[in-house]
Amino acid sequence: MNKFAILFGLSFILPSKVIAVTGGGDQGGPAYESWQGLIIKDENRCSAYDKKADYDYDQNIEDAIVASMNGQVYGPYTGSYFESDSETDIEHIVATSEAHDSGLCSAPVSIRKAFASDLLNLTLASPKVNRCSKTGKCGFDAGEWLPEKNKCWFVNRIVQVKQKYKLSIDLNEYHALSSILMNCTSTDMIYHSKVKSLQPTTYDTSYPTGALSIYDDNQNGKISCKEARNHKITPVYSGHPAYPYMNDRDGDGVVCR
């Protein structure tokens, strides 16, 4: 462990130098660079990827994920709290497709299934954050996507998971992981304050009570972000009269940031 970590009692992974190693076992092979014991090389899909067949897991594992977060249904990527895990997806910190292309493509199916259910690599996220979209994590690695919050916890978990399963990282991923860890003083998950506790509980009494009559410009019974911005009320928090008529997709109590 890094001497700095020992001196200050830190148990998380600190950046180390990149060193040259030789692959190929007894037969020799190409020289690669290594960081934190992880080989740095391009991804390689050495066998077909079948998530349903090779990386299935029991949905009941959500209970264990919630228990690991002190019983809270929490999305660490955005610092969001949810009423129920029915509002969240089970999220693989290192995506199964990324792991497959980083070494599990040559592993037995039993190892792939163990990976898919490993709590070290599991958390919760809203569908908007977890799934493939313009801003979603999808199957991206850390060189392609980073969370809004808990970056130090996130990249440290990636390193721990990849070390455990002897997975490689590509060059872009190395740069992202090492640059973030270099500036971390802790890699513990941060439980951010709930939005409702931060926002005002009352509003100016000059707000009229008929929100739709004021902000629903096209009179469709809903208030869009465009309409909210036109009226200069964004971001709209859950206590605002317009909020009940808006679509809070990730359930964090704020729309139209």
Side-chain angles (χ1 to χ4, degrees), residues 78-90:
T78 57
S80 302
Y81 295 82
F82 303 88
E83 293 296 324
S84 166
D85 58 20
S86 64
E87 301 175 59
T88 60
D89 284 348
I90 295 172

Side-chain angles (χ1 to χ4, degrees), residues 63-78:
D63 295 337
I65 298 171
V66 172
S68 73
M69 296 190 290
N70 304 315
Q72 301 180 90
V73 185
Y74 180 67
Y77 295 164
T78 57

